[in-house]
Amino acid sequence: MPFPGGIDANANATLVFSLAAAVIYAFSLGMPPRLSRSAARTLAVAMLAVLVVQQGGPWLLVAALGVSAVALLSRDGEKAFLGGATSFLAAHVLYVVLFLRAGGGLGLLLAEPWRAAIVLAMAVLVLAMVFALRRRVGPALRLPIGVHAAALLAMGIAALTLNSVGVVGGIVLLILSDGLHAAEKFLLPAISPHRIWVRHAAWALYYVGQLAITLGFLLG
């Protein structure tokens, strides 16, 4: 177990609870939307926030995970989508502030070329996603999608000011997850056989990304 004291220790038990909720949600992805399914998805991330509190981690990380968990309560429908997107935007902003406060400054991006290369790759990915979505969504969603994409890129840039492979890797996974989720929701036909595996992959990338960020901060 990653924390002292075995599986009976509060931190390890909380982590196991989070993992169990994530697995339960993954198995329910092929079922009709229900409150219990949303609850499992929310608990998976909310328990990570509890873990950070138990370990005395940064309050900004607690806030980002907590807002992310609330966003995961959103149900289907355009209004619910916009509400969830607003909550995720707030979480992204909290992550940006957290990373910039904990990192070594934006100068690292110029001092170490590999960081700049990852920024360029993320920018290409995010811009490709935006251009693909703009042709498939209504005018009301274009601005929110653009703002969300900008926040994703800012979060990635801020993460690269840290010397933490776990945090940087977690952010990359979150960006990939966001792209898959957008493709499943807006780009794939309703009867596409690919929707179910894309949905599973998006969730796996999202949860593992949040887990990597959390452990990256707590375990150093």
Side-chain angles (χ1 to χ4, degrees), residues 6 15 25 30 39 42 70-71 108 114 149 153 159 191 194:
L15 182 58
Y25 176 68
T42 298
V70 171
L108 279 177
W114 68 268
L153 186 55
I191 59 173
H194 299 295

Side-chain angles (χ1 to χ4, degrees), residues 51-79:
L51 176 61
V52 177
V53 173
Q54 291 174 337
Q55 294 299 297
W59 69 267
L60 280 168
L61 180 56
V62 176
L65 290 167
V67 172
S68 297
V70 171
L72 290 173
L73 278 171
S74 297
R75 307 297 294 275
D76 294 335
E78 187 169 298
K79 288 185 178 180

Side-chain angles (χ1 to χ4, degrees), residues 144-217:
I145 285 174
V147 172
H148 183 77
L152 274 178
L153 186 55
M155 187 171 62
I157 292 171
L160 282 162
T161 66
L162 296 165
N163 290 312
S164 172
V165 174
V167 174
V168 173
I171 289 299
V172 171
L173 293 180
L174 290 188
I175 292 174
L176 292 173
S177 170
D178 202 88
L180 286 177
H181 177 70
E184 190 265 331
K185 188 170 184 64
F186 297 112
L187 302 180
L188 291 177
I191 59 173
S192 172
H194 299 295
R195 293 181 71 92
I196 188 62
W197 76 258
V198 169
R199 196 175 300 164
H200 277 89
W203 169 246
L205 290 172
Y206 178 81
Y207 178 75
V208 174
Q210 295 281 26
L211 179 62
I213 294 167
T214 301
L215 295 182
F217 269 96

